[in-house]
Amino acid sequence: MARRGYKVDVFEKRPDIRTMKVVSGKSINLTLSCRGIEALKYVGLDETVTKCCIPMHARMIHDLDGKQSPIMYGTKDQYIMSIDRRVLNEIMLSAAEKFPNVEMHFSHKLTTCNFETGEATFDNLEMTIRKHIFKCEQGQKVSKLFDLIIGCDGAYSAVRKQMMKLSRFDYQQTYIPHGYMELKILPNSRNEFAMEKNYLHIWPRHEYMMIAMPNLDKSFTTTLIMPFEMFKSITTEEQLIQFFKAEFPDALPLIGQQSLIETFMSRKALPFITIKCHPYHVNGKAVLLGDAAHAMVPFYGQGINCGMEDCIILNELLDLYNNDFSKVLPAYTNKRNPDAKAICDLAMYNYIEMRSKVNTTSFLIRKNLDNLLFKIFPKTWVPLYTMVSFTRIGYQEAIQRREWQDKILTRCLAVLAISGIVGLGVVMNQLGQNYKNWSVIVQSIMIKYGFVY
C-alpha cells in the first residue's frame, strides 16, 4: 500500500519485537513455498528472506526402530523452506519502516471500529502501564480516521471481532482435539546439525506425531503434537521418559532427557484453531487478510503462503479497479473466500496424512504413481502437493483436479486388478480347474469402475 502512494499507519498490539529478547506466542517455524516467495518478489524481499531460509527437499520419516526414509515433495529442484517466525517478521518490519509514508505504532490495542466513518480507536498499552504506575490521567486512548482499515491481526483478530457485530456475517471456528508443545534439538558436540538438515523430520505415530524443522543456528525447532488428553495423562518425569523411549527412541538422546523434562513439565500444550468467515470486507471501508480471514492448522505449511498470496490478489484487484475500494473489496471476497476455505480443509486432511498415512504402503504407492505420471505428462498430471506448494493454481481448482486424478488412478488400478484376475484364471484353467465364475467377477469389476455400462 505504501508503494502505491498511500499513507499507512501500522498498529501492533505487541511491543516492537526487534527490541525484545524473548518473543512469546506461536513458535512452529514457517514454511515458505511458491505463493509466499511470489508475494515477497512484489516488494523486493525474496532474496533477503530466502538467505535466512533452509531448503527442505523431502519429509524424513522416522520409524519406531530408528530407520529413516525420505519422501520427496516433488522433483529434485522443488522444495519448501524453513524460516524462523521472528526473523521473517523482523525483516518485513524493517523493510516497511524505510518508507517515509509508513508510521509504526507498537503497543496499541484496537478497541473499536466505526465502519461507516472509518474511525478506529486504540488503547496505548505503554501509556496504560504508565498510568497504572505513575497515575497519569491522559494518553491511553488513540483515535484516528482512515479511508481503509486492513485487519491483518491474526486468528483472534480484533478487526474481525468488530465486523462480527454487523448483520449477515458468517463465522465458524473449530478447535481440533490435538495441541502442540515446542521442544528443541540443539547442535551436537561438534556444533553441527544433529540430523540431516535439508528435511522436514517427522515421527508419525497415527494419533500423534512429532516434527522437527532446521534453523540457521543448526538447531531444530521440534514440535510434539498429540491429543490434549495424552498431554494431561503424562504427569511424572518417569512417565514422560518412558513415553519417549517407547515412541520416539531415536529423538530422546537428541533432545536430551533433562531438557525434555524441564520443558515438558514447565509448559502447557497450545491449541490449533481453524477459522472460516464470510464476507472478508465491509463496504469499501475494511477488509481482512491472512489468519484474520482464514486461520488454518499448520500441517500443509500454507498459512503464511496463503496470507501473502492474499496481498497479491488484493494488489491485482487494486490495479484492475483503479484503486476503487468499493469495487475492489467485494471482488476480493468473491475471489479469495472459496480458495481460503479449500486450503483450510486441505490443511486438516494433511494432518491425517502426516501423522498416519506417510508410512503406509498405499500412500507410498500413490505417491510413486503420482510422480511417475507427472514425469510422463507434466502439463496434464500434477500431484496435489505440487499444485498447492509449487504453483499458484487456486486451492479450489487443485482439489477439483485431484478428484479427477483420483478417478483416473482408481480405473488404472482396476485395470491392473482385472489383468491379474484374468491372468490367474487362465493359469488355473490350464491346470484343469473349472472357473466359470471368473468371467462374472471380471464383468462386475469392470461395471463398478466404469469400463462397462
Side-chain angles (χ1 to χ4, degrees):
M1 297 304 286
R3 290 176 67 160
R4 299 185 75 91
Y6 290 99
K7 169 69 172 67
V8 181
D9 287 275
V10 178
F11 288 85
E12 166 62 50
K13 180 181 176 181
R14 296 179 298 179
D16 187 345
I17 61 172
R18 294 167 296 179
T19 66
M20 301 168 66
K21 289 185 178 181
V22 178
V23 178
S24 61
K26 287 187 177 180
S27 55
I28 300 175
N29 280 26
L30 298 170
T31 51
L32 279 174
S33 53
C34 173
R35 299 170 201 267
I37 297 300
E38 283 297 308
L40 290 167
K41 285 180 181 178
Y42 270 63
V43 290
L45 287 179
D46 52 312
E47 292 185 7
T48 302
V49 170
T50 53
K51 287 177 182 177
C52 300
C53 296
I54 296 179
M56 297 184 295
H57 295 271
R59 297 164 172 166
M60 183 64 81
I61 307 303
H62 293 247
D63 292 340
L64 272 172
D65 59 5
K67 180 184 175 183
Q68 298 182 27
S69 307
I71 301 176
M72 297 293 290
Y73 283 119
T75 59
K76 291 182 179 179
D77 61 338
Q78 291 177 329
Y79 51 84
I80 59 177
M81 290 183 284
S82 171
I83 186 169
D84 181 90
R85 190 179 296 264
R86 176 174 181 168
V87 169
L88 180 59
N89 275 317
E90 290 183 349
I91 289 172
M92 294 197 293
L93 279 172
S94 297
E97 205 172 48
K98 292 178 181 178
F99 286 89
N101 51 336
V102 173
E103 186 175 353
M104 301 285 185
H105 309 268
F106 296 102
S107 299
H108 280 69
K109 177 184 177 182
L110 179 72
T111 55
T112 59
C113 287
N114 186 322
F115 296 118
E116 293 184 3
T117 64
E119 182 180 27
T121 302
F122 303 85
D123 277 338
N124 184 333
L125 300 181
E126 287 185 353
M127 294 305 295
T128 301
I129 293 170
R130 288 184 61 190
K131 177 183 176 182
H132 177 72
I133 298 173
F134 300 110
K135 308 302 181 184
C136 299
E137 296 298 329
Q138 302 296 326
Q140 67 268 22
K141 291 284 185 184
V142 176
S143 293
K144 202 163 186 176
L145 289 171
F146 301 97
D147 296 312
L148 177 65
I149 298 169
I150 304 179
C152 304
D153 50 342
Y156 301 97
S157 168
V159 176
R160 189 188 64 235
K161 186 177 180 180
Q162 296 294 313
M163 292 170 67
M164 288 170 64
K165 297 177 182 178
L166 306 175
S167 64
R168 301 186 66 191
F169 185 90
D170 294 329
Y171 174 76
Q172 175 188 351
Q173 71 173 39
T174 305
Y175 285 99
I176 65 173
H178 299 70
Y180 72 95
M181 181 181 292
E182 182 193 333
L183 308 171
K184 198 83 168 180
I185 294 177
L186 298 174
N188 61 25
S189 58
R190 299 184 300 277
N191 196 33
E192 298 171 343
F193 284 97
M195 302 181 292
E196 293 188 66
K197 71 173 182 178
N198 295 119
Y199 295 92
L200 170 59
H201 292 264
I202 306 177
W203 291 259
R205 300 296 184 262
H206 298 291
E207 285 304 312
Y208 49 93
M209 69 175 182
M210 192 165 67
I211 62 174
M213 298 172 63
N215 298 308
L216 290 178
D217 65 0
K218 299 181 181 178
S219 68
F220 285 87
T221 299
T222 308
T223 310
L224 177 62
I225 302 164
M226 60 186 187
F228 279 101
E229 292 304 315
M230 288 191 67
F231 278 110
K232 293 177 182 177
S233 69
I234 300 174
T235 57
T236 68
E237 296 178 5
E238 292 76 14
Q239 287 176 329
L240 175 63
I241 298 304
Q242 287 305 313
F243 173 69
F244 265 75
K245 283 182 176 179
E247 301 297 336
F248 310 110
D250 63 325
L252 182 55
L254 300 177
I255 299 171
Q257 288 195 23
Q258 193 56 40
S259 175
L260 174 63
I261 290 170
E262 291 174 359
T263 303
F264 192 95
M265 294 300 174
S266 63
R267 296 182 181 176
K268 290 184 178 181
L270 300 175
F272 291 115
I273 190 171
T274 296
I275 299 289
K276 296 178 182 178
C277 65
H278 183 274
Y280 291 156
H281 71 285
V282 178
N283 302 322
K285 280 293 184 181
V287 65
L288 301 173
L289 275 71
D291 282 359
H294 44 68
M296 64 194 73
V297 294
F299 306 113
Y300 226 115
Q302 283 297 299
I304 185 66
N305 295 287
C306 182
M308 287 184 166
E309 191 178 48
D310 290 349
C311 302
I312 298 178
I313 302 298
L314 184 63
N315 196 52
E316 290 172 343
L317 291 171
L318 285 165
D319 287 337
L320 180 64
Y321 293 106
N322 196 28
N323 299 321
D324 185 343
F325 296 152
S326 66
K327 295 179 180 178
V328 169
L329 303 191
Y332 168 77
T333 289
N334 292 337
K335 183 176 179 62
R336 201 59 180 148
N337 189 258
D339 276 337
K341 288 179 177 176
I343 189 56
C344 285
D345 293 337
L346 274 177
M348 187 64 71
Y349 165 79
N350 211 47
Y351 177 43
I352 300 170
E353 180 177 292
M354 287 176 70
R355 80 180 192 226
S356 180
K357 292 185 177 182
V358 289
N359 54 0
T360 63
T361 303
S362 60
F363 173 82
L364 295 174
I365 291 173
R366 168 67 199 237
K367 188 74 175 176
N368 289 330
L369 272 173
D370 257 348
N371 291 337
L372 175 62
L373 291 169
F374 184 37
K375 288 179 181 178
I376 300 172
F377 310 108
K379 294 183 179 180
T380 306
W381 190 282
V382 184
L384 177 63
Y385 192 91
T386 299
M387 286 188 280
V388 170
S389 297
F390 304 124
T391 77
R392 284 200 55 217
I393 294 171
Y395 296 117
Q396 191 176 41
E397 181 184 344
I399 292 176
Q400 292 168 351
R401 289 176 64 170
R402 167 63 177 240
E403 290 173 350
W404 171 80
Q405 290 174 358
D406 277 342
K407 291 179 182 178
I408 299 297
L409 272 186
T410 300
R411 292 190 176 192
C412 289
L413 292 172
V415 168
L416 292 175
I418 291 167
S419 301
I421 291 170
V422 171
L424 182 60
V426 170
V427 169
M428 299 187 78
N429 187 57
Q430 289 176 348
L431 293 174
Q433 302 295 324
N434 182 13
Y435 277 89
K436 295 180 180 179
N437 290 334
W438 279 103
S439 61
V440 177
I441 295 171
V442 171
Q443 186 179 27
S444 65
I445 293 174
M446 293 179 74
I447 292 172
K448 178 178 179 181
Y449 290 104
F451 292 97
V452 175
Y453 299 94

